[in-house]
Amino acid sequence: MLLWLRSALYMTGWALNTVLCAIGCMLALPLPYKARYAVVSYWSRFAIWWLALTCGLRGHIIGQENLPAQAAVVMSKHQSAFETMALQAMLPLTAWVVKRELLRIPFFGWGMWSLRPIAIDRANPREASRQLIQQGGAKLRSGAWIVIFPEGTRVAAGQRGRYKQGGARVACGAGVPVVPVAVNSGEFWPRNSFLKYPGEITISIGPAIPTQGKTPEQVSEAVEAWIEAEMVRISGVGPCWPKSRKPAEIHGSNALAG
């Protein structure tokens, strides 16, 4: 019962924060882009802080020193909504690759729309690929980091989706590195679950993968190999992980909303 109450309290605060920040983004439309970005960054930081306060669920970052000095393409494991907030709070300026239908969600989608994400139509793969490469290159040239989930959607803890090459194509076309990210958030915030379990989510940032002289296929394979190997290392510590698995040993520092 306490777990349900704490999760409900989190969602109530999250919803109120989302509505207020979405209104703030709309009011800030005539202002410079950075004003709207500051509002959404606040939304992410508040959501992470509120999650720690209400549910006892925090983030723990490993490998933040691996982030390049210049904008790059981040390709991350996706198990829950936590990493969308954490990456937004962690990176200096981001441009997200999202499903176009997300922009239709009241308040949440409106705030997302104000940041001019790369919104693709997954029903038209060829057009989505063209749009991703064209807009992604422009975003990188403007100094924004591209964040993409290569498996295309959230996957449950312990599972593995099919890695797509869109992010690698953008990086190769722009000549920027790819930063792989592994995260075990699904062990504490299960896919499509209302409940959030207390604990510490690990976000592991891998060494940047150069793209010069490589094909998108080679880059994508390197990203998948690093993420999945790292997932084996950091997985098995959360309350929702199958009990038959032996917990992994995790080292590192840098608390997120600790």
Side-chain angles (χ1 to χ4, degrees):
M1 180 60 71
L2 181 59
L3 188 64
W4 276 91
L5 289 175
R6 296 178 74 178
S7 298
L9 183 59
Y10 169 75
M11 288 304 299
T12 301
W14 179 90
L16 290 173
N17 182 49
T18 299
V19 170
L20 292 175
C21 287
I23 293 173
C25 285
M26 296 298 101
L27 294 176
L29 279 175
L31 301 178
Y33 175 80
K34 287 187 177 181
R36 301 193 300 278
Y37 194 85
V39 174
V40 173
S41 294
Y42 164 79
W43 172 84
S44 298
R45 290 193 298 271
F46 175 87
I48 292 170
W49 171 80
W50 187 240
L51 182 66
L53 182 65
T54 56
C55 299
L57 181 55
R58 294 171 171 80
H60 179 74
I61 303 172
I62 299 173
Q64 197 163 6
E65 68 278 3
N66 289 325
L67 292 174
Q70 304 299 322
V73 174
V74 173
M75 296 175 66
S76 173
K77 193 76 174 179
H78 190 24
Q79 293 189 339
S80 77
F82 181 83
E83 48 270 19
T84 62
M85 302 181 297
L87 291 171
Q88 175 72 34
M90 186 173 61
L91 297 173
L93 184 67
T94 58
W96 289 81
V97 180
V98 302
K99 298 178 291 186
R100 184 176 296 175
E101 52 265 34
L102 290 179
L103 303 185
R104 304 190 186 105
I105 300 175
F107 296 106
F108 177 82
W110 302 345
M112 185 181 294
W113 170 82
S114 74
L115 292 184
R116 301 196 298 268
I118 303 172
I120 60 175
D121 181 8
R122 295 200 302 181
N124 189 343
R126 179 171 296 183
E127 174 61 20
S129 178
R130 184 198 65 79
Q131 186 180 14
L132 176 58
I133 293 172
Q134 182 182 49
Q135 294 188 29
K139 298 286 188 182
L140 287 164
R141 288 190 294 272
S142 71
W145 294 64
I146 301 296
V147 180
I148 189 168
F149 300 122
E151 292 164 289
T153 188
R154 283 174 289 180
V155 295
Q159 295 186 8
R160 179 175 182 169
R162 185 175 69 85
Y163 280 65
K164 302 174 179 62
Q165 297 177 10
R169 293 185 188 280
V170 173
C172 289
V176 301
V178 172
V179 179
V181 176
V183 57
N184 65 347
S185 59
E187 299 178 28
F188 303 87
W189 186 339
R191 182 174 180 262
N192 299 326
S193 174
F194 174 77
L195 298 179
K196 287 84 177 164
Y197 294 81
E200 188 173 74
I201 294 170
T202 298
I203 302 171
S204 183
I205 304 170
I209 298 172
T211 59
Q212 287 81 1
K214 296 181 180 178
T215 66
E217 290 80 7
Q218 291 172 325
V219 173
S220 183
E221 288 174 0
V223 168
E224 181 175 3
W226 188 91
I227 289 178
E228 293 303 326
E230 185 67 359
M231 288 303 299
V232 172
R233 192 180 76 86
I234 68 174
S235 295
V237 298
C240 299
W241 188 257
K243 301 305 179 184
S244 59
R245 288 293 301 271
K246 181 180 179 181
E249 184 179 4
I250 301 174
H251 301 281
S253 59
N254 296 332
L256 188 61

